[in-house]
Amino acid sequence: MTTISLPVNISYIGTNSFKNCDALVSIEVPYGVNGIDEGAFSYCKSLKNINIPNGVTIINNEAFRCCSSLVTLFLPNSLIHIGDNTFFSTGISGHVDIPINVTSIGLGAFRECVNLTSVRILGEVGSIGRTCFYGSPLQHIVIYSVNPPLIGDLVFKSTTTIYVPDES
């Protein structure tokens, strides 16, 4: 099974639902889903495309851990929480925007994303967990926040420039 279209009547993708589905390349998540639970797609090494629709408010721990083929990530504006190790060791490449409503980013959430080079945090993130970006070659991170987030230790491994715009 390489492509999955989930039924429109589901509201949550459960724990380990598709874990280790090595052949899974693409999944269409319907509107109406409000959460993706722990390990839901972890170790789906061929997963390249996932549409996370507006309405999803939480992506729990390790939901996409080790999805090494996942290179593009667009997070919905409805998202509030990114769990621990959610995108740990994925193939996310280039740039990621953390939506304006996200209030917390868990420990190791983007750890060892070896192609991730920049992040913009668009809202009032209260905390960025320990080792969140550790092992990711971030060149810069821009934080659009009036109040700076609580940043855990070892968040960055490499030299990363943090920008806080004047209007923040």
Side-chain angles (χ1 to χ4, degrees), residues 107-155:
L107 68 88
F110 293 91
R111 183 176 178 167
E112 296 183 29
C113 292
V114 297
N115 298 310
L116 182 61
T117 58
S118 68
V119 171
R120 287 189 317 164
I121 298 176
L122 301 175
E124 293 289 327
V125 170
S127 64
I128 299 174
R130 184 177 197 273
T131 69
C132 184
F133 299 105
Y134 191 84
S136 299
L138 282 180
Q139 296 168 0
H140 64 274
I141 183 168
V142 180
I143 302 174
Y144 294 93
S145 176
V146 174
N147 301 304
L150 176 62
I151 298 178
D153 61 335
L154 299 173
V155 168

Side-chain angles (χ1 to χ4, degrees), residues 14-57:
T15 301
N16 299 327
S17 295
F18 298 95
K19 184 175 183 176
N20 291 315
C21 287
D22 287 336
L24 183 60
V25 174
S26 180
I27 186 158
E28 188 72 29
V29 178
Y31 291 100
V33 170
N34 57 36
I36 300 172
D37 211 355
E38 294 187 25
F41 299 98
S42 61
Y43 300 94
C44 292
K45 296 182 184 204
S46 299
L47 183 63
K48 291 181 183 176
N49 304 308
I50 184 159
N51 175 27
I52 303 173
N54 213 23
V56 172
T57 59

Side-chain angles (χ1 to χ4, degrees), residues 52-54 56 59 64 72-79 82 86-87 92 96-100 102 110:
I52 303 173
N54 213 23
V56 172
I59 303 175
F64 295 95
T72 304
L73 179 65
F74 297 103
L75 298 171
N77 286 328
S78 58
L79 191 63
I82 299 171
T86 299
F87 299 103
I92 297 170
V96 168
D97 280 340
I98 306 297
I100 196 163
V102 172
F110 293 91

